[in-house]
Amino acid sequence: MRSDFERKKFKLMFWLVGGIFLAVTYILFFCMGAGASYAMKICLAAVGIAEAVFLVLLYFISLKSVDNAYSAVEYSADMMNELLRKSGEKEGVITRPEIKEGSVGILYDSFEKMVDMFSESRQRERLEKEYLKDVMSDISHQLKTPLASMSVFIDLLLNDKIDSPEERKKILSEAGNQVNRMEWMVLSMLKLARIEAGAVQFEKKETEISSILDEVRGAISYLTNSRNQKLIINCPEDIMVQTDPEWMTEAIINIVKNASDYSCSLDENRLGTGEEQSSAIEIDVEKNAVFTRIYIRDHGIGMSEETMTHIFDRFYRASNEVNPNSVGIGLSLSKSIVEGLGGRISVDSKLGEGSCFKIQI
């Protein structure tokens, strides 16, 4: 984008001022040379010609400097137009000049910083839109099944197609399960979306790991007791970490629930048969000078290498047969919470040998 308005204005002003200067100079030289000798007249004429040549050289030098300055401004405008043109594309590469010295270099440097900030902003906006689109698509897809089931249940009950009271009770119980499933999914997705959007302000403070694990035990006891599973916690009382206790508790609860789902239930009739270990869920804590690590182990069915690569994906379920009412979002939420608190989470597992989730703080 080039405009000659300023350049034409510069040329007009330069030659106007320069012409007046030369005219005044030549008039003075003419007056001085009226009664001068021939040698003096030659000298004055030479000086006049030198002034004219100097003025022409000064014009081209000044024009070059002015042209460079305006070219820098025009190039900045071109960069902005190119940025706007490519802002809708996923990958937009903008050709940039070599950084120059002086004011032009400062202009380029400042403008490139502004362009980079604008590009990053547009990129974040695009990623947020894609994330929101994916979330809405996932929620819509996940709600289809329970809503369809609810529609069938309501139709059966409204049209008196179920005669047996036991069948009605069974259908109402299943309808309640579907409602709970949808509620859990929506609430978990809202939490996950808030964390990944940076809308959650974690309140970190010095907290005893043992107090967090006590909260986990209390929250999960109804599930483990109903399945005759054991929750074994090995944690020294004096281990302190800098974390948000409420969010960390929720992250660990989700992992323990997953461990419970994939561990077997122990029938009282099988006590003493060696199957106690397969029904146990163990939480161990270790601390060194660098980090604190929490191990959550189960001795259930384990998982394959492929499953481990997707286990933290949203709505991913390793098996639909283990817990049909599972939403598949708990581990994804746990991962977002742990990473949002500045920690790391990973899993080791082998088929038939159980799994071990590791949280490093």
Side-chain angles (χ1 to χ4, degrees), residues 153 165-175 177:
F153 296 153
E166 291 77 11
E167 288 296 325
R168 288 197 188 97
K169 186 177 180 180
K170 183 178 179 181
I171 288 177
L172 288 173
S173 176
E174 183 60 28
N177 290 336

Side-chain angles (χ1 to χ4, degrees), residues 8-170:
K8 290 179 179 178
K9 188 175 181 180
F10 168 77
K11 294 175 184 179
L12 177 63
M13 293 300 296
F14 184 92
W15 287 118
L16 179 62
V17 175
I20 293 175
F21 175 77
L22 283 179
V24 172
T25 302
Y26 286 156
I27 290 173
L28 291 176
F29 284 173
F30 180 78
C31 294
M32 291 172 60
S37 62
Y38 179 77
M40 187 63 179
K41 292 180 180 180
I42 294 297
C43 183
L44 291 173
V47 171
I49 294 172
E51 283 189 354
V53 172
F54 175 78
L55 187 63
V56 172
L57 292 176
L58 181 62
Y59 165 74
F60 285 108
I61 294 173
S62 301
L63 181 62
K64 181 64 175 176
S65 298
V66 170
D67 185 69
N68 287 338
Y70 284 121
S71 294
V73 176
E74 290 163 355
Y75 188 82
S76 299
D78 289 337
M79 288 177 66
M80 179 57 76
N81 288 332
E82 188 175 2
L83 175 65
L84 293 173
R85 181 174 61 84
K86 293 184 177 181
S87 61
E89 302 175 8
K90 292 186 178 180
E91 297 292 337
V93 179
I94 299 177
T95 305
R96 304 182 183 220
E98 296 182 0
I99 298 299
K100 301 180 180 180
E101 297 181 355
S103 298
V104 174
I106 295 174
L107 174 66
Y108 279 158
D109 183 62
S110 300
F111 193 81
E112 284 192 1
K113 290 178 181 178
M114 185 182 69
V115 168
D116 290 338
M117 291 177 61
F118 186 75
S119 298
E120 291 175 2
S121 176
R122 293 300 296 266
Q123 181 73 358
R124 284 196 301 270
E125 181 182 353
R126 183 181 65 81
L127 292 176
E128 288 174 359
K129 287 182 178 179
E130 290 182 354
Y131 173 74
L132 181 60
K133 180 181 177 181
D134 291 342
V135 169
M136 296 303 295
S137 176
D138 287 340
I139 292 178
S140 175
H141 177 73
Q142 293 296 322
L143 285 175
K144 286 180 180 179
T145 300
L147 286 175
S149 299
M150 291 290 294
S151 178
V152 172
F153 296 153
I154 292 173
D155 179 67
L156 291 174
L157 294 173
L158 286 177
N159 294 292
D160 294 327
K161 296 181 179 179
I162 304 298
D163 298 327
S164 171
E166 291 77 11
E167 288 296 325
R168 288 197 188 97
K169 186 177 180 180
K170 183 178 179 181

Side-chain angles (χ1 to χ4, degrees), residues 112-303:
E112 284 192 1
K113 290 178 181 178
M114 185 182 69
V115 168
D116 290 338
M117 291 177 61
F118 186 75
S119 298
E120 291 175 2
S121 176
R122 293 300 296 266
Q123 181 73 358
R124 284 196 301 270
E125 181 182 353
R126 183 181 65 81
L127 292 176
E128 288 174 359
K129 287 182 178 179
E130 290 182 354
Y131 173 74
L132 181 60
K133 180 181 177 181
D134 291 342
V135 169
M136 296 303 295
S137 176
D138 287 340
I139 292 178
S140 175
H141 177 73
Q142 293 296 322
L143 285 175
K144 286 180 180 179
T145 300
L147 286 175
S149 299
M150 291 290 294
S151 178
V152 172
F153 296 153
I154 292 173
D155 179 67
L156 291 174
L157 294 173
L158 286 177
N159 294 292
D160 294 327
K161 296 181 179 179
I162 304 298
D163 298 327
S164 171
E166 291 77 11
E167 288 296 325
R168 288 197 188 97
K169 186 177 180 180
K170 183 178 179 181
I171 288 177
L172 288 173
S173 176
E174 183 60 28
N177 290 336
Q178 296 299 330
V179 170
N180 292 334
R181 179 184 180 188
M182 288 187 289
E183 180 184 14
W184 163 255
M185 181 181 64
V186 171
L187 291 177
S188 298
M189 279 302 304
L190 288 175
K191 292 177 183 178
L192 184 60
R194 288 177 59 211
I195 292 172
E196 295 188 355
V200 173
Q201 296 295 325
F202 294 108
E203 297 180 3
K204 294 184 179 181
K205 59 183 179 182
E206 285 290 325
T207 308
E208 284 189 5
I209 287 290
S210 59
S211 64
I212 293 177
L213 297 181
D214 287 340
E215 291 289 334
V216 172
R217 184 195 295 275
I220 206 71
S221 60
Y222 75 97
L223 183 62
T224 53
N225 290 338
S226 65
R227 295 173 174 176
N228 291 322
Q229 296 171 336
K230 294 182 180 180
L231 180 60
I232 304 171
I233 298 177
N234 300 310
C235 176
E237 294 290 335
D238 58 345
I239 296 182
M240 306 291 292
V241 292
Q242 190 76 16
T243 189
D244 187 316
E246 293 184 2
W247 282 104
M248 182 57 72
T249 300
E250 179 161 357
I252 297 176
I253 285 174
N254 289 335
I255 298 174
V256 175
K257 282 182 178 179
N258 180 81
S260 175
D261 287 342
Y262 288 89
S263 298
C264 73
S265 299
L266 180 62
D267 193 327
E268 292 183 359
N269 296 325
R270 290 183 289 170
L271 290 173
T273 61
E275 295 187 13
E276 289 89 343
Q277 183 181 8
S278 64
S279 67
I281 301 168
E282 303 168 7
I283 302 179
D284 298 294
V285 181
E286 68 173 13
K287 181 179 178 65
N288 56 36
V290 180
F291 57 79
T292 299
R293 184 173 287 168
I294 303 172
Y295 299 90
I296 304 171
R297 297 184 179 89
D298 67 69
H299 303 277
I301 63 175
M303 62 184 84

